Every structure is written in structure tokens, then in C-alpha cells.
Amino acid sequence: MDVPRPGHPVRGSTTGRPLMAALDLLGRRWTLRIVWELRDGPVGARALLARCQGLSSSVLYQRLGELTAAGLITATDDGYALTPLGAGLRGALGPLDAWATEWAESQ
């Protein structure tokens, strides 16, 4: 499994700057949606598939593996849950969301 890691070459960056590694991981299809669905607590794989219409089980399990390897989620008895690092994404994405809204309004 090819999981983006800071300090290693990633899409768009041969230096592997942490920001570029994070953007590579988070920019993968369905990744942010899966993180979003875990925001309120653990969710099982079957429930994630039901919440994410159009997501295939193979892509789901690939993304769950990547997010687990990256330390953003963990498997629990109740399904998959955000780790403290994963939960920190909500605050980290706030400024990016504000910028994106400003960008959209300028178009």
C-alpha cells in the first residue's frame, strides 16, 4: 500500500514536505468523505458504504487502510474511528474552508 508520508516523495513533490504529503493523502478519492463520516464517532464499514453512495467496497477498504497506516483512523469494536490526530483535521481544515469560500465568491 502506497501511503503518502512526510519526508518521502509524493504526488507533486519530490521533497515530501509534510503539507504536500498531507494534500496527497487527503486529495485521494473518497478520503475526506470517509473522514467526515467518522466525525461523530465510530462507524462500521457497511454503514460507511451506505452513507457514501457510489463508493465501492474495494476503494473503501483501500482508503481505510491508508488512513489507518497514516495514523488518522483506527479500528475499534464499534467500527472505524478518528484518532486524536485525525480529529485534529477538523480544526486544520477550517482555514482552508474559509479560503475556499472566499475563492468561490470571487469567481
Side-chain angles (χ1 to χ4, degrees):
M1 180 180 321
D2 186 29
V3 179
R5 298 236 183 249
H8 299 276
V10 296
R11 286 185 306 165
S13 174
T14 57
T15 65
R17 291 188 60 202
L19 177 61
M20 295 302 291
L23 290 174
D24 185 358
L25 176 64
L26 298 175
R28 293 178 177 200
R29 192 170 41 129
W30 292 103
T31 299
L32 283 174
R33 177 63 186 271
I34 292 166
V35 169
W36 173 257
E37 292 299 336
L38 299 177
R39 72 195 180 283
D40 293 326
V43 179
R46 210 176 278 188
L48 282 169
L49 283 171
R51 292 179 184 189
C52 301
Q53 188 174 9
L55 172 60
S56 71
S57 60
S58 62
V59 171
L60 172 63
Y61 286 108
Q62 182 176 7
R63 295 301 174 258
L64 291 173
E66 292 167 353
L67 290 166
T68 299
L72 300 183
I73 67 170
T74 188
T76 70
D77 291 339
D78 298 321
Y80 292 90
L82 294 173
T83 63
L85 184 63
L89 267 176
R90 178 179 269 170
L93 291 174
L96 181 58
D97 183 44
W99 175 85
T101 299
E102 183 180 336
W103 176 48
E105 291 169 354
S106 74
Q107 298 300 304

